[in-house]
Amino acid sequence: MFERINGHEQVLFCNDPDTGLKAIIAIHNTTLGPALGGCRMRPYASTDEAIEDVLRLSKGMTYKCAAADVDFGGGKSVIIGDPLKDRTPELFRAFGQFVESLNGRFYTGTDMGTTPGDFVHALKETNCIVGVPEEYGGSGDSSVPTAQGVLYGLKASNNVMYGSDELSGKVYSIQGLGKVGFKVAEKLLEVGADIYVTDINEKAIKNLVQVAEGLKGNVKFVEGNEIYSVPADVFVPCALGGIINDETIEQLKVKAVVGSANNQLLKDEHGTYLQQKGILYAPDYIVNAGGLIQVSDELYNPNKARVLAKTRAIYDTLMEIYQNSKAQSISTAEAANLFCDSRIESRKKRNSFFSHKKRQKWAVRN
């Protein structure tokens, strides 16, 4: 196990028998500031599976924070349990106590399988919580800027491929109609794009049908893995990670992959495989940074205009990644990693904002 956590600063195993809490908090890198990353809840098949997930996701957060230019490092947390059966206020209060024990080294909030309301309970035990509802001092639904970031990613990618950042007149295949995927699909229908979609949630599908009918949009639903082989301009993955792999790359009939799902590449080399196949890849942690930008902004006191302005920079960052990739003859995934490594290295001695006293000041909740 220790070989797997090489490169991480700290891994904390959390166990509270009274509430049934079994969780893992992974802090990957705090060069740019205290670690920040959401908390997901899943019925992992084993502790090893949970460890692999939290280590992979926390490392990704280091790069996402660097790319988004926020004063935070990378971290992540996972709770082992079924969110439909095991979620209780007491469990999240217990989790909040473990977060508090890290003394400001880690900030967290909602992720897959958890809700902002869960962290209202955790907030009773620690101030190191972000992404709570507005009535509790938070900034509201983080899927809004996340979806907006995806749209900026699509615009930048269209600019590279077609010389115009217009979203209309293209075909998009969207995997996942969750909070982010649904908003992206809705916006694409509004501008007159054609879309293929897939999701296991029948309610989400029915809701999108109503949206499409109202907009007279063209949407086609496909089953599960069929989404990989539909003829589209851009594949937009907005569900689970690891979906860009040896098998799916061979099925893709698109010119680009631009979506919000975390860790889309099963392995780093799959970014190179996409390039070799002539498919433009927008590194996911660049594209999906809108939510991170919003929750990190909470610690400066929430400001929606500031969040949207910073989210707009995703377009410029992605264009720079594409240019670097072409100039250096490397994959866009490699170019993005180098971009972030350079930013982290250049700021090793620059980030003192979150000293203990200042952190206490900005994290105070009413």
Side-chain angles (χ1 to χ4, degrees):
M1 183 180 73
F2 290 105
E3 292 181 357
R4 284 183 289 175
I5 65 173
N6 182 34
H8 282 71
E9 294 180 8
Q10 186 176 1
V11 178
L12 175 67
F13 290 81
C14 314
N15 182 41
D16 183 69
D18 291 340
T19 63
L21 174 71
K22 293 181 180 180
I24 307 170
I25 298 172
I27 296 176
H28 178 253
N29 188 299
T30 57
T31 300
L32 297 180
L36 173 65
C39 174
R40 63 174 48 182
M41 187 174 187
R42 288 183 59 192
Y44 292 96
S46 66
T47 301
D48 276 354
E49 183 184 2
I51 293 170
E52 292 291 346
D53 203 28
V54 76
L55 294 180
R56 177 175 53 89
L57 291 167
S58 57
K59 182 178 180 180
M61 287 302 301
T62 294
Y63 285 97
K64 183 185 288 192
C65 288
D69 196 22
V70 297
D71 291 328
F72 286 90
K76 204 76 174 182
S77 53
V78 298
I79 295 175
I80 302 172
D82 187 339
L84 299 178
K85 300 177 181 178
D86 302 325
R87 175 192 282 117
T88 65
E90 292 75 21
L91 182 143
F92 280 92
R93 290 193 68 160
F95 177 71
Q97 290 177 330
F98 281 104
V99 172
E100 180 66 13
S101 74
L102 291 168
N103 195 32
R105 279 174 50 77
F106 177 64
Y107 285 73
T108 192
T110 185
D111 200 305
M112 184 183 298
T114 61
T115 69
D118 294 329
F119 292 93
V120 170
H121 303 297
L123 192 61
K124 296 175 182 177
E125 305 293 342
T126 180
N127 281 327
C128 297
I129 300 295
V130 294
V132 293
E134 293 182 75
E135 58 268 30
Y136 289 91
S139 53
D141 185 359
S142 63
S143 70
V144 174
T146 304
Q148 187 61 52
V150 175
L151 294 170
Y152 283 127
L154 290 170
K155 283 176 173 286
S157 302
N158 284 351
N159 195 344
V160 170
M161 294 186 294
Y162 304 110
S164 169
D165 60 14
E166 286 295 321
L167 296 173
S168 60
K170 307 293 187 300
V171 181
Y172 304 87
S173 53
I174 304 174
Q175 182 184 51
L177 292 175
K179 290 182 288 186
V180 175
F182 192 94
K183 290 181 177 64
V184 172
E186 190 174 30
K187 182 61 178 179
L188 291 175
L189 287 172
E190 286 179 5
V191 299
D194 296 336
I195 62 174
Y196 289 92
V197 297
T198 188
D199 196 285
I200 59 174
N201 186 338
E202 292 185 5
K203 182 178 180 180
I205 292 174
K206 290 179 181 178
N207 288 342
L208 191 62
V209 167
Q210 293 180 343
V211 171
E213 290 175 348
L215 297 171
K216 297 183 180 179
N218 188 6
V219 56
K220 184 175 181 179
F221 296 91
V222 298
E223 294 291 335
N225 292 339
E226 291 180 20
I227 197 71
Y228 298 116
S229 58
V230 299
D233 291 290
V234 186
F235 174 45
V236 187
C238 296
L240 293 173
I243 43 80
I244 301 299
N245 51 54
D246 290 341
E247 182 179 348
T248 59
I249 288 175
E250 291 305 313
Q251 299 177 57
L252 292 175
K253 299 176 182 177
V254 296
K255 296 181 178 66
V257 176
V258 186
S260 66
N262 286 312
N263 301 108
Q264 294 166 25
L265 303 178
L266 183 62
K267 297 179 181 178
D268 290 343
E269 53 262 36
H270 287 122
T272 302
Y273 296 166
L274 286 174
Q275 182 187 38
Q276 292 171 345
K277 196 174 179 182
I279 298 175
L280 185 66
Y281 172 62
D284 48 61
Y285 63 77
I286 305 287
V287 173
N288 65 17
L292 165 69
I293 290 168
Q294 175 165 301
V295 297
S296 64
D297 185 77
E298 286 184 11
L299 297 180
Y300 302 85
N301 294 325
N303 184 302
K304 292 184 179 181
R306 186 169 59 212
V307 169
L308 290 176
K310 201 167 183 64
T311 301
R312 195 175 297 114
I314 289 174
Y315 180 102
D316 298 322
T317 300
L318 192 54
M319 290 297 291
E320 184 172 348
I321 298 300
Y322 287 153
Q323 291 164 5
N324 292 346
S325 169
K326 183 177 181 180
Q328 300 174 46
S329 298
I330 57 177
S331 72
T332 55
E334 293 175 289
N337 289 345
L338 289 173
F339 176 90
C340 294
D341 286 337
S342 176
R343 178 167 283 176
I344 292 170
E345 181 65 26
S346 69
R347 296 185 183 177
K348 277 186 174 179
K349 298 180 180 180
R350 304 294 180 189
N351 187 43
S352 60
F353 179 84
F354 280 96
S355 66
H356 181 64
K357 289 183 179 179
K358 288 181 179 178
R359 183 169 58 244
Q360 285 184 326
K361 174 185 176 182
W362 289 105
V364 167
R365 305 285 182 173
N366 294 325

